[in-house]
Each structure stands twice: as structure tokens, then as C-alpha cells.
Amino acid sequence: MAPHQLHPATSFGIATGFGRVLSLGLMLGLAAPLQAAPKDPPYPSMEQLREIQLNTFLCGRENTAESCAKARTMADPLMDHPRLGANCKDAIWSIRERAKPAPTNTYERREALNRAGQDVIPFCKQQTRTVAPSKDKDKPQQKKGFGLIQGS
């Protein structure tokens, strides 16, 4: 038998084994979406956001290792939060990158930290969506045209 030819029984055995593995993989792949989705972590509270904001301001004002480390460590977990928007994460990223003690506490450094701290609450707070009542119910029906012919 030539080396490029396989014995029919051997090729059948390989194909059957491969088919079993493939079908098992497909069954597992199809069953995966049926599992319960993991719950999102709770939204950060206003108190937590305010504490991050105040620690960021403190880091900008005092320029100490303790105040800056506290601002960074509080902001860090929010970077991986799945429910926070891009603007919030931009503010958090800015805090993480800039909240480090500097040899000289320049005006630009303080202002950059203050801007990031000011952005935390408006960009990161949980938005509550309310639906405004329809104004069509309160309006009287307006007549179209001159009103000479009914139904027009």
C-alpha cells in the first residue's frame, strides 16, 4: 500500500473519533449560552463617587503620597466596571494617571486633578431615565383647513 493511501478501516476509525470529539464540542458550545449570565457589579454610590472626588482634590492640594495613593486606589476598580460610560472612565483614567506626588505642585497639575475630580460625579453617577408625559392628551384637537367640509 502506498504511503499516501490509508487503510479504509483506519481512516474510518479516525473520522469516527474526530466526529465524536467535534459533536461533543458543538454540544458544549451550544449549551454554554444556556448558563446564567454573570450579574453586573453594583453601580458606585454617590458617597463612593464623592469620596473619590474629595481624595482627588486633596491629592492636588497636598501633593502627598498618602492622599494620591488613596485617590488612585479608590478610582482603580471603577476602570473595569462594565456599566460605567466612556466619559466616566476618562475621568477615572485621568485620576489614576495624574494622582501621583510631583516634585513641584504646579498649577497645571492641580487644575488637571481638579477637572478630573469635578468630572467624576456628573459623568459617573447613575442616570435615572424618566419618561415625560405626552403633551398631546392635554391639547385640544386642531382643525385642519378651513373647516368647511366635515372629516377633512
Side-chain angles (χ1 to χ4, degrees), residues 55-74:
N55 284 318
T56 303
F57 294 157
L58 191 64
C59 173
R61 188 173 53 248
E62 291 184 353
N63 194 25
T64 62
E66 304 102 42
S67 61
C68 292
K70 191 164 185 177
R72 271 195 327 272
T73 56
M74 288 189 72

Side-chain angles (χ1 to χ4, degrees), residues 64-114:
T64 62
E66 304 102 42
S67 61
C68 292
K70 191 164 185 177
R72 271 195 327 272
T73 56
M74 288 189 72
D76 190 46
L78 296 183
M79 280 303 298
D80 295 327
H81 200 289
R83 295 174 60 195
L84 295 177
N87 287 336
C88 173
K89 289 189 179 185
D90 286 345
I92 297 297
W93 177 264
S94 184
I95 291 169
R96 281 185 48 201
E97 291 300 307
R98 297 172 192 255
K100 297 173 183 164
T104 57
N105 197 11
T106 62
Y107 174 78
E108 290 82 17
R109 177 188 175 277
R110 285 191 311 271
E111 282 303 303
L113 281 168
N114 286 343

Side-chain angles (χ1 to χ4, degrees), residues 10 15 47 51 65 93 105 108 116 130 139 141:
T10 308
E47 293 80 23
E51 194 171 349
W93 177 264
N105 197 11
E108 290 82 17
T130 58
K139 259 193 215 178
Q141 293 291 335

Side-chain angles (χ1 to χ4, degrees), residues 3 5 9 18 28 33 37 40 43 51 58 82 84 92-93 102 110 113 125 128-129 132 145:
Q5 294 177 341
F18 180 72
L28 290 174
D40 285 337
Y43 215 84
E51 194 171 349
L58 191 64
L84 295 177
I92 297 297
W93 177 264
R110 285 191 311 271
L113 281 168
K125 72 179 178 180
T128 55
R129 294 186 179 159

Side-chain angles (χ1 to χ4, degrees), residues 5-61:
Q5 294 177 341
L6 293 175
H7 189 275
T10 308
S11 64
F12 180 73
I14 292 172
T16 304
F18 180 72
R20 288 181 186 152
V21 170
L22 183 62
S23 64
L24 179 63
L26 286 174
M27 286 190 313
L28 290 174
L30 292 174
L34 299 177
Q35 296 174 354
K39 289 230 176 200
D40 285 337
Y43 215 84
S45 66
M46 283 300 290
E47 293 80 23
Q48 182 183 4
L49 296 175
R50 181 69 175 151
E51 194 171 349
I52 292 170
Q53 184 184 49
L54 292 175
N55 284 318
T56 303
F57 294 157
L58 191 64
C59 173
R61 188 173 53 248

